[in-house]
Amino acid sequence: MAAHDPASGPNLMTVPALTAPRSGLTSADADRLLREVGPNRLVPTPSRSRRATVLWRAVSDPMAVLLLIAAPTYLALGNRLDALVTFLALGPITAIGVALETRAEHALEQLAALVAPTTTAVRDGVEQIVDAEHVVPGDMLVVREGDVIAADGELVGGGPIVIDEARLTGESVPVTKSVGEDAALFAGTTVLTGRGYAEIAVTGLQTRYGRIGSLVARVRPSRTPLERKVRRFVAMLTVVAGGFCAAVVTTELVRGQGWGDAIVAGVSLGIAAIPEEYLIVLTLSLALGATRLARQRALVRRLPAVETLGSTTVICTDKTGTLTRGRLQVVALATPNAVVDAATPLSEAARSLLQAAILASEPDPYDPLDRALYEVATRHGMHRFPGTLERDHPFDPRDKYVTHVWRDDDTWNVAAKGALEGILLHARTEADEVARLVAQHAQLAEAGMRVICVASGTTQDEVTSRADDERDLRVDGLIGFSDPLREGVADALVACHAAGVRVLMITGDHPVTARAVADSLHMDGSGAVVTGDDLDACTDDDALNALVASSDVFARVRPEQKHRIVHALRARGDVVAMTGDGINDAPALREADIGVAFGGERGTEVARQAATLVLLDDNFATIVSAVRGGRRIFGNLRHAFSYLAVFHAPLLLAALVVPLVGKPLLLLPMHMILLELLLHPIVALVFERDPADPDVMRRPPRSAAAGILSRAEIWRAVEVGTTVAAAILGLYFWELSRNDAAEHARALGFATLLFSALILMLVSRSSSRPVWRVAIANNTILLPAIVTMLAVIAVVFGVPAVRSVFEMSALRPVDWLIAAGAAAGATLWVEPFKRPSTASGG
């Protein structure tokens, strides 16, 4: 008896060469059509004018405009160092703006790159290799295994062929296309098996793929909630600073100063008052948070995405490859006696059923269903199967089944598998057997399984027709396949629920399959499954809003409908995170407040480029870690921003009051450079390293309309900032009144400012607990930061050369005591009045 190893491949029958059903276009007609309809580009090409617009948006930012005014003004007045520093500050601000705006272009470029650059077309009666962009309606294309189809059309010759449409439609199971039945072919899909001829009907942006590309191009990535809050916050302070700048310029002109000096005074005040370091602290905090997430296999493509998940109220997730593994697995075998779990030891009847299914499969499988059968057979020790494949009857597109004939010595075995209805038409069955099979099929289907029927029998050597081979087929049973849940998904959904985050499943799969997965995860058990047809029936926003609020499970959803769901949720005020891995997810990923792409096993480059966060392990549970990290980051940013708000008060008042009273400047450009480029990043590092509150994942998401700082925190910042400013200015003017030595008075005032910065770093770590109740040991950066700040103070005041650059004189021991005492009194007085915060989500 000959034993056949499936991995080695059998002796297959020769496949006859295909002949094109028509001669295709002539080259002349193809060229004419190409001029009429344009190139077959499935993604809009970004124009140069759009890139120029991106650059203009970046350089027209208010802070960039102020720097563009300041730099030449300083240069015209001979202040070259100030001009250089101001001009260099323009670089990173412009670069950040350009980087965020051009992210949209990358998604489009990667979408275009997925389409085959060349294809085989029948031109002038012969097969020719042509550029995919030169395909026109009416072309006859050759499609074969491994090809990416270049345009939309119809299978008109050859076949049947098996197509992977998962990345376009979201369907996890490959589909079979045959001439005359389900023959539609779509651009961007991949041929898994078979060979045929496709007549092209639609090219370019009119294809289904092209419509998705157009939708991606139209949807501009929205600013994250954090970006909007920071911009509002900075804009508010900028308006205040602008008013002070105008007042200084007017005062200087009234006092008889020239326009140049007046503009320098006003612009200098603006640079000191406009809180550009908020962006530095924000970027640094988010970058460190992104690094931490990267160690957990989450890649951040846009830094604010780190925080946005912390404010998310709704997560819209795909099913296939996201909640499930995206890989078929045999889970049940139904024999005449029982339905058994495929993971348990198999009875003789179940093993015979499985062996028949293997014999009806391809010996070197590519189809996921065949691979799943081989996997479970190997797991049960069925490594080799007898015989040689003699006749391979192809997939019947009408009855949806396939038949193989194997010879084992003198025995000719027949095995068939496919849809239950098709197998029953070709197998011998009794009425009671049919009733049992129908009932078993319903049982497996209701559990969300994909079900096939398997039959076997014997035949003779001299048989030549398929009908004769299948004459003695008897049904062996049914096999149920499922796409198993990913590990950790159920726990992740529980954590989302506890955190007040709603999870919606949006899939292209059948409603029964979607319902079964949702039930296994305890998602919205009482809600009806909403289908794509239900969404199409919503002709107004009110009906759509009611629909997206009534169910958490959406099935048979098209790409543009995913985009519509996300848009409706955001219109209701939700902060939406959209997860996905395919081309069909790209528009919704772009529309969402944050797009989360699964980029490991199944994710497409289009999804990764369109998203703001890529989960490299394809693990939905990683989102929970990102939510926790986002909430932690926002809470720490509130502390950092509170510190900056307090610290800006003395900077602003010193830059405003001192010139108005006609005294020498307290803060020179070099002082501002030191504070903003050294001390502020150190402070940002300290706040970023603080751990999250223990109950951070038991709070509801914070309101998207809430500001970064509460009113109480803003008033506290104003009060403490005013007292710090009063202490610094009081000491400065007092010292000037004693001996009129600007260098010594400046040193005393600046020392008080630096000590205040050090103490504020400690007291701002919590808005609800006094400094003596906030642990120092749980922050590994805090002690090094304190040492660094003390070292900066020592160098600035202790090294004569450095001290001269800052135009200050040495301080006496009593001056140090005065400066430290004034700083402590101005910052610590509010600590006993702190109360526990009721803010949520952050």
Side-chain angles (χ1 to χ4, degrees):
M1 180 181 297
H4 172 64
D5 183 355
S8 66
N11 298 320
L12 298 179
M13 299 173 62
T14 302
V15 179
L18 294 179
T19 301
R22 287 183 285 280
S23 60
L25 298 174
T26 65
S27 296
D29 287 341
D31 291 341
R32 176 180 54 80
L33 286 170
L34 185 62
R35 290 191 295 269
E36 292 178 2
V37 303
N40 179 40
R41 294 188 185 128
L42 304 185
V43 179
T45 303
S47 64
R48 291 188 177 183
S49 60
R50 181 170 179 176
R51 293 191 178 99
T53 301
V54 168
L55 181 61
W56 169 250
R57 287 197 185 103
V59 300
S60 60
D61 182 85
M63 185 60 193
V65 171
L66 181 60
L67 295 177
L68 284 172
I69 295 173
T73 304
Y74 278 130
L75 188 60
L77 294 175
N79 299 332
R80 295 182 179 180
L81 179 60
D82 292 344
L84 178 61
V85 171
T86 305
F87 184 76
L88 290 178
L90 183 64
I93 292 176
T94 304
I96 290 172
V98 171
L100 294 179
E101 291 286 347
T102 55
R103 187 178 65 89
E105 314 300 337
H106 296 317
L108 300 177
E109 292 168 1
Q110 293 296 333
L111 190 59
L114 281 182
V115 183
T118 62
T119 189
T120 303
V122 179
R123 298 271 178 90
D124 301 319
V126 296
E127 295 182 5
Q128 304 177 22
I129 303 296
V130 299
D131 288 342
E133 287 193 356
H134 295 169
V135 172
V136 295
D139 255 328
M140 185 72 61
L141 301 186
V142 181
V143 292
R144 56 174 64 87
E145 182 172 330
D147 284 353
V148 177
I149 297 175
D152 289 0
E154 182 179 2
L155 188 68
V156 295
I161 60 176
V162 179
I163 302 290
D164 180 4
E165 295 183 345
R167 292 179 172 181
L168 182 66
T169 66
E171 290 279 7
S172 59
V173 179
V175 295
T176 300
K177 306 288 184 175
S178 302
V179 176
E181 183 174 345
D182 193 16
L185 303 177
F186 302 105
T189 60
T190 304
V191 181
L192 298 182
T193 60
R195 186 177 187 271
Y197 289 93
E199 185 172 9
I200 298 304
V202 183
T203 61
L205 299 181
Q206 300 306 311
T207 64
R208 288 182 63 178
Y209 193 111
R211 290 198 296 270
I212 295 176
S214 298
L215 186 57
V216 173
R218 290 198 303 269
V219 179
R220 288 182 54 78
S222 59
R223 298 192 188 280
T224 68
L226 179 62
E227 287 178 298
R228 294 193 291 267
K229 291 184 180 75
V230 171
R231 285 182 174 271
R232 285 199 303 266
F233 189 67
V234 172
M236 178 186 69
L237 295 182
T238 301
V239 169
V240 174
F244 283 127
C245 291
V248 168
V249 171
T250 301
T251 302
E252 291 292 292
L253 291 175
V254 170
R255 293 174 56 195
Q257 299 292 330
W259 274 101
D261 291 335
I263 292 176
V264 167
V267 170
S268 299
L269 173 60
I271 294 175
I274 292 178
E276 69 272 13
E277 68 272 14
Y278 279 86
L279 299 177
I280 297 174
V281 171
L282 172 65
T283 302
L284 184 60
S285 298
L286 295 181
L288 293 174
T291 301
R292 185 177 293 107
L293 282 177
R295 291 195 291 267
Q296 302 173 16
R297 306 291 292 164
L299 176 64
V300 177
R301 290 184 44 78
R302 191 179 179 198
L303 288 182
V306 180
E307 179 276 335
T308 308
L309 272 174
S311 61
T312 297
T313 59
V314 177
I315 297 176
C316 298
T317 177
D318 189 19
K319 176 188 73 67
T320 304
T322 304
L323 300 177
T324 65
R325 294 180 183 175
R327 179 172 54 85
L328 284 178
Q329 176 178 301
V330 176
V331 293
L333 297 100
T335 66
N337 299 322
V339 176
V340 299
D341 188 337
T344 63
L346 301 182
S347 65
E348 190 61 34
R351 293 179 69 88
S352 297
L353 167 62
L354 183 56
Q355 178 169 313
I358 289 294
L359 293 176
S361 302
E362 295 300 320
D364 187 12
Y366 191 91
D367 185 283
L369 186 145
D370 287 358
R371 289 186 173 186
L373 288 170
Y374 272 85
E375 181 181 325
V376 71
T378 301
R379 193 164 64 243
H380 285 285
M382 302 167 67
H383 299 293
R384 293 178 177 271
F385 305 98
T388 302
L389 181 61
E390 293 292 335
R391 291 190 286 272
D392 183 353
H393 297 297
F395 183 81
D396 185 330
R398 184 188 64 183
D399 295 335
K400 302 185 185 309
Y401 78 107
V402 64
T403 302
H404 288 169
V405 178
W406 295 76
R407 180 171 62 87
D408 180 16
D409 291 339
D410 296 329
T411 304
W412 294 74
N413 296 311
V414 184
K417 73 178 192 314
L420 173 62
E421 296 83 358
I423 294 294
L424 290 179
L425 292 174
H426 300 276
R428 296 183 178 184
T429 54
E430 303 294 335
D432 59 341
E433 183 182 8
V434 172
R436 174 183 57 78
L437 289 168
V438 170
Q440 288 178 329
H441 188 282
Q443 175 187 348
L444 299 178
E446 288 175 0
M449 300 182 197
R450 182 187 179 188
V451 185
I452 65 169
C453 183
V454 180
S456 64
T458 59
T459 186
Q460 302 298 320
D461 183 10
E462 64 272 10
V463 170
T464 58
S465 70
R466 179 170 186 169
D468 286 340
D469 275 337
E470 297 169 352
R471 182 173 299 161
D472 293 327
L473 285 176
R474 303 288 301 194
V475 175
D476 294 286
L478 305 174
I479 298 181
F481 301 79
S482 74
D483 187 2
L485 297 175
R486 283 188 173 274
E487 293 81 358
V489 167
D491 292 338
L493 290 175
V494 171
C496 287
H497 179 74
V501 179
R502 181 185 174 202
V503 179
L504 272 63
M505 179 200 298
I506 306 177
T507 178
D509 277 347
H510 193 279
V512 173
T513 304
R515 179 76 275 165
V517 173
D519 289 343
S520 65
L521 292 171
H522 306 290
M523 293 178 58
D524 189 29
S526 61
V529 176
V530 176
T531 66
D533 291 339
D534 297 330
L535 294 172
D536 286 338
C538 296
T539 57
D540 58 69
D541 292 341
D542 291 339
L544 181 61
N545 289 342
L547 202 59
V548 298
S550 64
S551 179
D552 292 345
V553 184
F554 297 78
R556 289 296 192 215
V557 175
R558 302 189 304 273
E560 60 271 22
Q561 292 173 328
K562 292 185 180 183
H563 173 267
R564 191 181 178 201
I565 291 170
V566 173
H567 182 79
L569 288 168
R570 294 187 66 219
R572 295 176 68 246
D574 283 307
V575 178
V576 182
M578 171 71 194
T579 72
D581 58 10
I583 298 168
N584 58 309
D585 298 319
L589 290 172
R590 290 283 297 277
E591 173 67 21
D593 291 289
I594 174 171
V596 185
F598 291 80
E601 300 171 5
R602 293 176 51 88
T604 65
E605 187 63 20
V606 176
R608 288 192 287 269
Q609 292 290 342
T612 46
L613 186 69
V614 179
L615 304 185
L616 299 178
D617 58 359
D618 290 2
N619 192 345
F620 182 84
T622 306
I623 297 178
V624 178
S625 297
V627 170
R628 176 185 294 275
R631 292 188 174 190
R632 171 182 175 273
I633 287 173
F634 187 82
N636 291 342
L637 276 174
R638 281 174 45 215
H639 301 155
F641 280 18
S642 177
Y643 160 82
L644 290 174
V646 172
F647 199 74
H648 256 278
L651 299 183
L652 178 61
L653 292 175
L656 174 66
V657 173
V658 173
L660 291 181
V661 299
K663 298 295 183 180
L665 291 178
L666 168 58
L667 298 175
L668 301 174
M670 292 304 298
H671 298 98
M672 300 303 302
I673 292 173
L674 176 66
L675 293 173
E676 296 189 10
L677 298 184
L678 178 61
L679 297 185
H680 290 167
I682 290 177
V683 171
L685 286 169
V686 168
F687 291 125
E688 191 280 332
R689 192 58 65 92
D690 276 338
D693 292 336
D695 64 342
V696 70
M697 288 299 288
R698 295 192 296 272
R699 306 173 187 170
R702 66 179 180 276
S703 170
I708 297 178
L709 299 180
S710 66
R711 289 187 178 181
E713 290 170 326
I714 291 175
W715 276 113
R716 184 178 299 159
V718 171
E719 293 167 350
V720 177
T722 301
T723 57
V724 172
I728 294 171
L729 290 175
L731 289 177
Y732 180 66
F733 291 138
W734 172 68
E735 186 63 26
L736 282 177
S737 67
R738 292 177 58 204
N739 54 25
D740 202 29
E743 289 80 3
H744 193 267
R746 183 177 295 119
L748 185 60
F750 193 54
T752 306
L753 180 62
L754 290 177
F755 279 129
S756 298
L758 177 58
I759 300 174
L760 285 172
M761 182 178 66
L762 299 175
V763 303
S764 299
R765 294 177 62 214
S766 175
S767 58
S768 59
R769 292 174 294 170
V771 64
W772 49 84
R773 291 186 178 178
V774 181
I776 293 179
N778 62 1
N779 189 318
T780 58
I781 293 293
L782 183 57
L783 289 178
I786 293 173
V787 172
T788 300
M789 294 185 71
L790 291 175
V792 168
I793 295 174
V795 170
V796 169
F797 289 92
V799 179
V802 177
R803 191 169 60 235
S804 65
V805 170
F806 286 89
E807 299 185 25
M808 298 184 302
S809 62
L811 292 177
R812 299 163 299 179
V814 66
D815 295 326
W816 287 110
L817 292 175
I818 292 173
T827 54
L828 294 175
W829 66 269
V830 75
E831 291 302 285
F833 301 100
K834 285 184 176 180
R835 294 291 182 270
S837 174
T838 58
S840 65

